[in-house]
PDB file of all heavy atoms in Angstrom:
ATOM      1  N   SER A   1       8.802  -4.538  -3.924  1.00 96.00           N
ATOM      2  CA  SER A   1      10.118  -3.915  -3.458  1.00 96.00           C
ATOM      3  C   SER A   1      11.278  -4.421  -4.340  1.00 96.00           C
ATOM      4  O   SER A   1      11.230  -5.533  -4.796  1.00 96.00           O
ATOM      5  CB  SER A   1      10.366  -4.357  -1.937  1.00 96.00           C
ATOM      6  OG  SER A   1       9.486  -3.815  -1.121  1.00 96.00           O
ATOM      7  N   TYR A   2      12.225  -3.529  -4.676  1.00 96.00           N
ATOM      8  CA  TYR A   2      13.367  -3.919  -5.408  1.00 96.00           C
ATOM      9  C   TYR A   2      14.701  -3.424  -4.816  1.00 96.00           C
ATOM     10  O   TYR A   2      14.636  -2.427  -4.023  1.00 96.00           O
ATOM     11  CB  TYR A   2      13.219  -3.202  -6.853  1.00 96.00           C
ATOM     12  CG  TYR A   2      12.101  -3.466  -7.586  1.00 96.00           C
ATOM     13  CD1 TYR A   2      10.766  -2.893  -7.521  1.00 96.00           C
ATOM     14  CD2 TYR A   2      12.119  -4.613  -8.504  1.00 96.00           C
ATOM     15  CE1 TYR A   2       9.741  -3.207  -8.163  1.00 96.00           C
ATOM     16  CE2 TYR A   2      10.952  -4.872  -9.274  1.00 96.00           C
ATOM     17  CZ  TYR A   2       9.846  -4.338  -9.059  1.00 96.00           C
ATOM     18  OH  TYR A   2       8.712  -4.696  -9.987  1.00 96.00           O
ATOM     19  N   VAL A   3      15.701  -4.090  -5.021  1.00 97.00           N
ATOM     20  CA  VAL A   3      17.063  -3.692  -4.610  1.00 97.00           C
ATOM     21  C   VAL A   3      17.946  -3.587  -5.842  1.00 97.00           C
ATOM     22  O   VAL A   3      17.860  -4.388  -6.789  1.00 97.00           O
ATOM     23  CB  VAL A   3      17.642  -4.775  -3.598  1.00 97.00           C
ATOM     24  CG1 VAL A   3      19.146  -4.496  -3.338  1.00 97.00           C
ATOM     25  CG2 VAL A   3      16.889  -4.767  -2.396  1.00 97.00           C
ATOM     26  N   TYR A   4      18.775  -2.513  -5.945  1.00 97.00           N
ATOM     27  CA  TYR A   4      19.583  -2.306  -7.086  1.00 97.00           C
ATOM     28  C   TYR A   4      21.164  -2.399  -6.659  1.00 97.00           C
ATOM     29  O   TYR A   4      21.463  -1.749  -5.615  1.00 97.00           O
ATOM     30  CB  TYR A   4      19.300  -0.952  -7.674  1.00 97.00           C
ATOM     31  CG  TYR A   4      17.868  -0.742  -7.922  1.00 97.00           C
ATOM     32  CD1 TYR A   4      17.049  -0.195  -7.139  1.00 97.00           C
ATOM     33  CD2 TYR A   4      17.243  -1.354  -9.101  1.00 97.00           C
ATOM     34  CE1 TYR A   4      15.687   0.048  -7.255  1.00 97.00           C
ATOM     35  CE2 TYR A   4      15.803  -1.116  -9.390  1.00 97.00           C
ATOM     36  CZ  TYR A   4      15.038  -0.475  -8.459  1.00 97.00           C
ATOM     37  OH  TYR A   4      13.795  -0.343  -8.736  1.00 97.00           O
ATOM     38  N   LYS A   5      21.922  -2.993  -7.434  1.00 97.00           N
ATOM     39  CA  LYS A   5      23.409  -3.030  -7.107  1.00 97.00           C
ATOM     40  C   LYS A   5      24.155  -2.557  -8.362  1.00 97.00           C
ATOM     41  O   LYS A   5      23.828  -2.729  -9.488  1.00 97.00           O
ATOM     42  CB  LYS A   5      23.810  -4.588  -6.880  1.00 97.00           C
ATOM     43  CG  LYS A   5      23.040  -5.195  -5.570  1.00 97.00           C
ATOM     44  CD  LYS A   5      23.561  -6.561  -5.264  1.00 97.00           C
ATOM     45  CE  LYS A   5      22.886  -7.142  -4.000  1.00 97.00           C
ATOM     46  NZ  LYS A   5      23.363  -8.502  -3.753  1.00 97.00           N
ATOM     47  N   TYR A   6      25.352  -1.920  -7.935  1.00 96.00           N
ATOM     48  CA  TYR A   6      26.147  -1.169  -8.999  1.00 96.00           C
ATOM     49  C   TYR A   6      27.624  -1.761  -8.870  1.00 96.00           C
ATOM     50  O   TYR A   6      27.979  -2.214  -7.760  1.00 96.00           O
ATOM     51  CB  TYR A   6      26.079   0.239  -8.759  1.00 96.00           C
ATOM     52  CG  TYR A   6      24.668   0.762  -8.867  1.00 96.00           C
ATOM     53  CD1 TYR A   6      23.882   0.747  -7.765  1.00 96.00           C
ATOM     54  CD2 TYR A   6      24.255   1.456 -10.006  1.00 96.00           C
ATOM     55  CE1 TYR A   6      22.556   1.159  -7.770  1.00 96.00           C
ATOM     56  CE2 TYR A   6      22.920   1.908 -10.091  1.00 96.00           C
ATOM     57  CZ  TYR A   6      22.120   1.846  -8.966  1.00 96.00           C
ATOM     58  OH  TYR A   6      20.752   2.279  -9.048  1.00 96.00           O
ATOM     59  N   ASP A   7      28.420  -1.571 -10.017  1.00 94.00           N
ATOM     60  CA  ASP A   7      29.776  -1.851  -9.867  1.00 94.00           C
ATOM     61  C   ASP A   7      30.519  -0.672  -9.415  1.00 94.00           C
ATOM     62  O   ASP A   7      29.956   0.381  -9.182  1.00 94.00           O
ATOM     63  CB  ASP A   7      30.349  -2.489 -11.179  1.00 94.00           C
ATOM     64  CG  ASP A   7      30.272  -1.512 -12.368  1.00 94.00           C
ATOM     65  OD1 ASP A   7      30.026  -0.349 -12.150  1.00 94.00           O
ATOM     66  OD2 ASP A   7      30.401  -1.993 -13.520  1.00 94.00           O
ATOM     67  N   LYS A   8      31.857  -0.824  -9.522  1.00 91.00           N
ATOM     68  CA  LYS A   8      32.733   0.255  -8.986  1.00 91.00           C
ATOM     69  C   LYS A   8      32.587   1.569  -9.928  1.00 91.00           C
ATOM     70  O   LYS A   8      33.063   2.642  -9.496  1.00 91.00           O
ATOM     71  CB  LYS A   8      34.284  -0.151  -8.887  1.00 91.00           C
ATOM     72  CG  LYS A   8      34.771  -0.592 -10.202  1.00 91.00           C
ATOM     73  CD  LYS A   8      36.246  -1.031  -9.942  1.00 91.00           C
ATOM     74  CE  LYS A   8      36.801  -1.481 -11.300  1.00 91.00           C
ATOM     75  NZ  LYS A   8      38.266  -2.011 -11.102  1.00 91.00           N
ATOM     76  N   ASN A   9      32.163   1.294 -11.123  1.00 90.00           N
ATOM     77  CA  ASN A   9      31.975   2.372 -12.138  1.00 90.00           C
ATOM     78  C   ASN A   9      30.618   3.075 -12.043  1.00 90.00           C
ATOM     79  O   ASN A   9      30.338   3.846 -12.875  1.00 90.00           O
ATOM     80  CB  ASN A   9      32.441   1.949 -13.454  1.00 90.00           C
ATOM     81  CG  ASN A   9      33.788   1.427 -13.661  1.00 90.00           C
ATOM     82  OD1 ASN A   9      34.763   2.189 -13.225  1.00 90.00           O
ATOM     83  ND2 ASN A   9      34.022   0.273 -14.188  1.00 90.00           N
ATOM     84  N   GLY A  10      29.855   2.653 -11.205  1.00 91.00           N
ATOM     85  CA  GLY A  10      28.401   3.139 -11.074  1.00 91.00           C
ATOM     86  C   GLY A  10      27.481   2.647 -12.113  1.00 91.00           C
ATOM     87  O   GLY A  10      26.407   3.098 -12.231  1.00 91.00           O
ATOM     88  N   LEU A  11      27.806   1.453 -12.695  1.00 94.00           N
ATOM     89  CA  LEU A  11      26.924   0.685 -13.638  1.00 94.00           C
ATOM     90  C   LEU A  11      25.989  -0.206 -12.851  1.00 94.00           C
ATOM     91  O   LEU A  11      26.502  -0.999 -12.062  1.00 94.00           O
ATOM     92  CB  LEU A  11      27.727  -0.034 -14.727  1.00 94.00           C
ATOM     93  CG  LEU A  11      28.523   0.780 -15.647  1.00 94.00           C
ATOM     94  CD1 LEU A  11      29.488  -0.048 -16.415  1.00 94.00           C
ATOM     95  CD2 LEU A  11      27.726   1.696 -16.685  1.00 94.00           C
ATOM     96  N   LEU A  12      24.771  -0.150 -13.202  1.00 96.00           N
ATOM     97  CA  LEU A  12      23.760  -1.030 -12.674  1.00 96.00           C
ATOM     98  C   LEU A  12      24.080  -2.466 -13.091  1.00 96.00           C
ATOM     99  O   LEU A  12      24.070  -2.705 -14.314  1.00 96.00           O
ATOM    100  CB  LEU A  12      22.328  -0.658 -13.124  1.00 96.00           C
ATOM    101  CG  LEU A  12      21.112  -1.511 -12.603  1.00 96.00           C
ATOM    102  CD1 LEU A  12      21.019  -1.325 -11.120  1.00 96.00           C
ATOM    103  CD2 LEU A  12      19.842  -1.180 -13.356  1.00 96.00           C
ATOM    104  N   VAL A  13      24.313  -3.291 -12.218  1.00 97.00           N
ATOM    105  CA  VAL A  13      24.618  -4.686 -12.542  1.00 97.00           C
ATOM    106  C   VAL A  13      23.577  -5.698 -12.035  1.00 97.00           C
ATOM    107  O   VAL A  13      23.591  -6.887 -12.594  1.00 97.00           O
ATOM    108  CB  VAL A  13      26.083  -5.271 -12.079  1.00 97.00           C
ATOM    109  CG1 VAL A  13      27.075  -4.424 -12.865  1.00 97.00           C
ATOM    110  CG2 VAL A  13      26.138  -4.966 -10.549  1.00 97.00           C
ATOM    111  N   GLU A  14      22.710  -5.336 -11.127  1.00 97.00           N
ATOM    112  CA  GLU A  14      21.681  -6.197 -10.663  1.00 97.00           C
ATOM    113  C   GLU A  14      20.448  -5.469 -10.227  1.00 97.00           C
ATOM    114  O   GLU A  14      20.451  -4.517  -9.643  1.00 97.00           O
ATOM    115  CB  GLU A  14      22.187  -7.112  -9.456  1.00 97.00           C
ATOM    116  CG  GLU A  14      22.680  -8.528  -9.856  1.00 97.00           C
ATOM    117  CD  GLU A  14      22.941  -9.362  -8.574  1.00 97.00           C
ATOM    118  OE1 GLU A  14      23.501  -8.854  -7.597  1.00 97.00           O
ATOM    119  OE2 GLU A  14      22.560 -10.472  -8.613  1.00 97.00           O
ATOM    120  N   LYS A  15      19.319  -5.947 -10.625  1.00 97.00           N
ATOM    121  CA  LYS A  15      17.913  -5.589 -10.063  1.00 97.00           C
ATOM    122  C   LYS A  15      17.309  -6.668  -9.559  1.00 97.00           C
ATOM    123  O   LYS A  15      17.050  -7.679 -10.290  1.00 97.00           O
ATOM    124  CB  LYS A  15      17.172  -4.930 -11.338  1.00 97.00           C
ATOM    125  CG  LYS A  15      15.767  -4.478 -10.958  1.00 97.00           C
ATOM    126  CD  LYS A  15      14.989  -3.925 -12.085  1.00 97.00           C
ATOM    127  CE  LYS A  15      13.618  -3.596 -11.673  1.00 97.00           C
ATOM    128  NZ  LYS A  15      12.740  -3.182 -12.836  1.00 97.00           N
ATOM    129  N   ILE A  16      16.992  -6.708  -8.310  1.00 96.00           N
ATOM    130  CA  ILE A  16      16.341  -7.820  -7.541  1.00 96.00           C
ATOM    131  C   ILE A  16      15.040  -7.490  -7.072  1.00 96.00           C
ATOM    132  O   ILE A  16      14.934  -6.429  -6.211  1.00 96.00           O
ATOM    133  CB  ILE A  16      17.355  -8.269  -6.323  1.00 96.00           C
ATOM    134  CG1 ILE A  16      18.762  -8.510  -6.958  1.00 96.00           C
ATOM    135  CG2 ILE A  16      16.732  -9.512  -5.794  1.00 96.00           C
ATOM    136  CD1 ILE A  16      19.720  -8.661  -5.823  1.00 96.00           C
ATOM    137  N   GLN A  17      14.002  -8.116  -7.424  1.00 95.00           N
ATOM    138  CA  GLN A  17      12.639  -7.930  -6.879  1.00 95.00           C
ATOM    139  C   GLN A  17      12.587  -8.800  -5.711  1.00 95.00           C
ATOM    140  O   GLN A  17      12.431  -9.991  -5.754  1.00 95.00           O
ATOM    141  CB  GLN A  17      11.547  -8.279  -7.808  1.00 95.00           C
ATOM    142  CG  GLN A  17      10.171  -7.905  -7.303  1.00 95.00           C
ATOM    143  CD  GLN A  17       9.094  -8.141  -8.358  1.00 95.00           C
ATOM    144  OE1 GLN A  17       9.248  -8.633  -9.436  1.00 95.00           O
ATOM    145  NE2 GLN A  17       7.931  -7.636  -7.962  1.00 95.00           N
ATOM    146  N   THR A  18      12.493  -8.107  -4.537  1.00 96.00           N
ATOM    147  CA  THR A  18      12.626  -8.904  -3.190  1.00 96.00           C
ATOM    148  C   THR A  18      11.210  -9.123  -2.646  1.00 96.00           C
ATOM    149  O   THR A  18      11.099  -9.977  -1.706  1.00 96.00           O
ATOM    150  CB  THR A  18      13.435  -8.221  -2.085  1.00 96.00           C
ATOM    151  OG1 THR A  18      12.864  -6.870  -1.974  1.00 96.00           O
ATOM    152  CG2 THR A  18      14.859  -8.082  -2.652  1.00 96.00           C
ATOM    153  N   TYR A  19      10.231  -8.448  -3.140  1.00 94.00           N
ATOM    154  CA  TYR A  19       8.879  -8.634  -2.779  1.00 94.00           C
ATOM    155  C   TYR A  19       7.787  -8.391  -3.900  1.00 94.00           C
ATOM    156  O   TYR A  19       7.992  -7.492  -4.727  1.00 94.00           O
ATOM    157  CB  TYR A  19       8.505  -7.826  -1.573  1.00 94.00           C
ATOM    158  CG  TYR A  19       7.052  -7.755  -1.114  1.00 94.00           C
ATOM    159  CD1 TYR A  19       6.637  -8.786  -0.294  1.00 94.00           C
ATOM    160  CD2 TYR A  19       5.990  -6.940  -1.530  1.00 94.00           C
ATOM    161  CE1 TYR A  19       5.326  -8.973   0.165  1.00 94.00           C
ATOM    162  CE2 TYR A  19       4.802  -7.011  -1.080  1.00 94.00           C
ATOM    163  CZ  TYR A  19       4.410  -8.052  -0.146  1.00 94.00           C
ATOM    164  OH  TYR A  19       3.016  -8.171   0.196  1.00 94.00           O
ATOM    165  N   ASP A  20       6.823  -9.268  -4.068  1.00 93.00           N
ATOM    166  CA  ASP A  20       5.789  -9.225  -4.961  1.00 93.00           C
ATOM    167  C   ASP A  20       4.534  -9.591  -4.274  1.00 93.00           C
ATOM    168  O   ASP A  20       4.384 -10.793  -3.827  1.00 93.00           O
ATOM    169  CB  ASP A  20       6.084 -10.126  -6.216  1.00 93.00           C
ATOM    170  CG  ASP A  20       5.070 -10.039  -7.258  1.00 93.00           C
ATOM    171  OD1 ASP A  20       3.997  -9.259  -7.060  1.00 93.00           O
ATOM    172  OD2 ASP A  20       5.141 -10.635  -8.327  1.00 93.00           O
ATOM    173  N   ILE A  21       3.535  -8.798  -4.191  1.00 93.00           N
ATOM    174  CA  ILE A  21       2.370  -9.021  -3.519  1.00 93.00           C
ATOM    175  C   ILE A  21       1.560 -10.185  -4.060  1.00 93.00           C
ATOM    176  O   ILE A  21       0.841 -10.978  -3.503  1.00 93.00           O
ATOM    177  CB  ILE A  21       1.380  -7.826  -3.480  1.00 93.00           C
ATOM    178  CG1 ILE A  21       0.183  -7.987  -2.539  1.00 93.00           C
ATOM    179  CG2 ILE A  21       0.889  -7.433  -4.834  1.00 93.00           C
ATOM    180  CD1 ILE A  21      -0.618  -6.700  -2.262  1.00 93.00           C
ATOM    181  N   ASN A  22       1.764 -10.453  -5.484  1.00 93.00           N
ATOM    182  CA  ASN A  22       1.128 -11.570  -6.057  1.00 93.00           C
ATOM    183  C   ASN A  22       2.007 -12.883  -5.995  1.00 93.00           C
ATOM    184  O   ASN A  22       1.354 -14.024  -6.362  1.00 93.00           O
ATOM    185  CB  ASN A  22       0.891 -11.285  -7.588  1.00 93.00           C
ATOM    186  CG  ASN A  22      -0.055 -10.192  -7.700  1.00 93.00           C
ATOM    187  OD1 ASN A  22      -1.054 -10.008  -7.140  1.00 93.00           O
ATOM    188  ND2 ASN A  22       0.305  -9.134  -8.676  1.00 93.00           N
ATOM    189  N   ASN A  23       3.087 -12.780  -5.469  1.00 90.00           N
ATOM    190  CA  ASN A  23       3.837 -14.075  -5.309  1.00 90.00           C
ATOM    191  C   ASN A  23       4.933 -13.764  -4.356  1.00 90.00           C
ATOM    192  O   ASN A  23       6.092 -13.547  -4.542  1.00 90.00           O
ATOM    193  CB  ASN A  23       4.565 -14.458  -6.664  1.00 90.00           C
ATOM    194  CG  ASN A  23       5.039 -15.915  -6.552  1.00 90.00           C
ATOM    195  OD1 ASN A  23       5.410 -16.430  -5.511  1.00 90.00           O
ATOM    196  ND2 ASN A  23       5.142 -16.448  -7.760  1.00 90.00           N
ATOM    197  N   LYS A  24       4.519 -13.815  -2.998  1.00 88.00           N
ATOM    198  CA  LYS A  24       5.322 -13.337  -1.869  1.00 88.00           C
ATOM    199  C   LYS A  24       6.513 -14.313  -1.634  1.00 88.00           C
ATOM    200  O   LYS A  24       7.514 -13.610  -0.991  1.00 88.00           O
ATOM    201  CB  LYS A  24       4.393 -13.293  -0.612  1.00 88.00           C
ATOM    202  CG  LYS A  24       3.261 -12.218  -0.788  1.00 88.00           C
ATOM    203  CD  LYS A  24       2.499 -12.104   0.459  1.00 88.00           C
ATOM    204  CE  LYS A  24       1.378 -11.070   0.334  1.00 88.00           C
ATOM    205  NZ  LYS A  24       0.524 -10.996   1.505  1.00 88.00           N
ATOM    206  N   GLY A  25       6.584 -15.450  -2.034  1.00 85.00           N
ATOM    207  CA  GLY A  25       7.691 -16.314  -1.834  1.00 85.00           C
ATOM    208  C   GLY A  25       8.784 -16.307  -2.837  1.00 85.00           C
ATOM    209  O   GLY A  25       9.787 -16.999  -2.836  1.00 85.00           O
ATOM    210  N   ARG A  26       8.540 -15.499  -3.959  1.00 88.00           N
ATOM    211  CA  ARG A  26       9.542 -15.423  -5.015  1.00 88.00           C
ATOM    212  C   ARG A  26      10.450 -14.226  -5.075  1.00 88.00           C
ATOM    213  O   ARG A  26      10.107 -13.191  -4.707  1.00 88.00           O
ATOM    214  CB  ARG A  26       8.745 -15.498  -6.405  1.00 88.00           C
ATOM    215  CG  ARG A  26       9.571 -15.681  -7.649  1.00 88.00           C
ATOM    216  CD  ARG A  26       8.701 -15.672  -8.861  1.00 88.00           C
ATOM    217  NE  ARG A  26       7.954 -14.434  -9.161  1.00 88.00           N
ATOM    218  CZ  ARG A  26       7.191 -14.108  -9.997  1.00 88.00           C
ATOM    219  NH1 ARG A  26       6.786 -15.264 -10.765  1.00 88.00           N
ATOM    220  NH2 ARG A  26       6.630 -12.964 -10.206  1.00 88.00           N
ATOM    221  N   ILE A  27      11.733 -14.495  -5.408  1.00 91.00           N
ATOM    222  CA  ILE A  27      12.696 -13.510  -5.628  1.00 91.00           C
ATOM    223  C   ILE A  27      13.181 -13.606  -7.073  1.00 91.00           C
ATOM    224  O   ILE A  27      13.809 -14.438  -7.476  1.00 91.00           O
ATOM    225  CB  ILE A  27      13.888 -13.642  -4.628  1.00 91.00           C
ATOM    226  CG1 ILE A  27      13.372 -13.397  -3.136  1.00 91.00           C
ATOM    227  CG2 ILE A  27      14.823 -12.572  -4.906  1.00 91.00           C
ATOM    228  CD1 ILE A  27      14.353 -13.512  -2.091  1.00 91.00           C
ATOM    229  N   ASP A  28      13.038 -12.472  -7.669  1.00 93.00           N
ATOM    230  CA  ASP A  28      13.397 -12.420  -9.149  1.00 93.00           C
ATOM    231  C   ASP A  28      14.685 -11.540  -9.305  1.00 93.00           C
ATOM    232  O   ASP A  28      14.679 -10.374  -8.812  1.00 93.00           O
ATOM    233  CB  ASP A  28      12.365 -11.877 -10.044  1.00 93.00           C
ATOM    234  CG  ASP A  28      11.117 -12.830 -10.193  1.00 93.00           C
ATOM    235  OD1 ASP A  28      11.471 -14.049 -10.064  1.00 93.00           O
ATOM    236  OD2 ASP A  28      10.018 -12.445 -10.328  1.00 93.00           O
ATOM    237  N   THR A  29      15.721 -12.008  -9.919  1.00 95.00           N
ATOM    238  CA  THR A  29      16.860 -11.215 -10.113  1.00 95.00           C
ATOM    239  C   THR A  29      17.073 -11.039 -11.638  1.00 95.00           C
ATOM    240  O   THR A  29      17.087 -12.008 -12.389  1.00 95.00           O
ATOM    241  CB  THR A  29      18.046 -12.013  -9.605  1.00 95.00           C
ATOM    242  OG1 THR A  29      17.915 -12.102  -8.136  1.00 95.00           O
ATOM    243  CG2 THR A  29      19.414 -11.244  -9.724  1.00 95.00           C
ATOM    244  N   THR A  30      17.452  -9.831 -12.019  1.00 96.00           N
ATOM    245  CA  THR A  30      17.906  -9.461 -13.343  1.00 96.00           C
ATOM    246  C   THR A  30      19.293  -9.046 -13.371  1.00 96.00           C
ATOM    247  O   THR A  30      19.713  -8.170 -12.534  1.00 96.00           O
ATOM    248  CB  THR A  30      17.115  -8.223 -13.939  1.00 96.00           C
ATOM    249  OG1 THR A  30      15.677  -8.618 -14.030  1.00 96.00           O
ATOM    250  CG2 THR A  30      17.499  -7.917 -15.354  1.00 96.00           C
ATOM    251  N   ARG A  31      20.149  -9.837 -13.983  1.00 97.00           N
ATOM    252  CA  ARG A  31      21.664  -9.492 -14.108  1.00 97.00           C
ATOM    253  C   ARG A  31      21.960  -8.728 -15.383  1.00 97.00           C
ATOM    254  O   ARG A  31      21.366  -9.037 -16.490  1.00 97.00           O
ATOM    255  CB  ARG A  31      22.396 -10.788 -14.136  1.00 97.00           C
ATOM    256  CG  ARG A  31      23.906 -10.427 -13.881  1.00 97.00           C
ATOM    257  CD  ARG A  31      24.703 -11.818 -13.939  1.00 97.00           C
ATOM    258  NE  ARG A  31      25.139 -12.048 -15.241  1.00 97.00           N
ATOM    259  CZ  ARG A  31      24.663 -13.217 -15.879  1.00 97.00           C
ATOM    260  NH1 ARG A  31      23.890 -14.025 -15.431  1.00 97.00           N
ATOM    261  NH2 ARG A  31      25.113 -13.481 -17.166  1.00 97.00           N
ATOM    262  N   ILE A  32      22.784  -7.746 -15.303  1.00 97.00           N
ATOM    263  CA  ILE A  32      23.059  -6.871 -16.420  1.00 97.00           C
ATOM    264  C   ILE A  32      24.612  -6.920 -16.698  1.00 97.00           C
ATOM    265  O   ILE A  32      25.326  -6.706 -15.769  1.00 97.00           O
ATOM    266  CB  ILE A  32      22.617  -5.426 -16.237  1.00 97.00           C
ATOM    267  CG1 ILE A  32      21.178  -5.465 -15.820  1.00 97.00           C
ATOM    268  CG2 ILE A  32      23.033  -4.570 -17.540  1.00 97.00           C
ATOM    269  CD1 ILE A  32      20.559  -4.018 -15.478  1.00 97.00           C
ATOM    270  N   ASP A  33      25.008  -7.324 -17.915  1.00 97.00           N
ATOM    271  CA  ASP A  33      26.445  -7.322 -18.310  1.00 97.00           C
ATOM    272  C   ASP A  33      26.683  -6.339 -19.421  1.00 97.00           C
ATOM    273  O   ASP A  33      25.823  -6.107 -20.226  1.00 97.00           O
ATOM    274  CB  ASP A  33      26.695  -8.684 -18.838  1.00 97.00           C
ATOM    275  CG  ASP A  33      26.665  -9.791 -17.748  1.00 97.00           C
ATOM    276  OD1 ASP A  33      26.666  -9.488 -16.494  1.00 97.00           O
ATOM    277  OD2 ASP A  33      26.661 -10.956 -18.109  1.00 97.00           O
TER     278      ASP A  33
END
């Protein structure tokens, strides 16, 4: 599962993997500048 966050201009600023079947306790966040 993933969650995506945007700034006020509609630019993708975060992609967060909230669930991974191979590592259920890990949350991975990609930040975009």
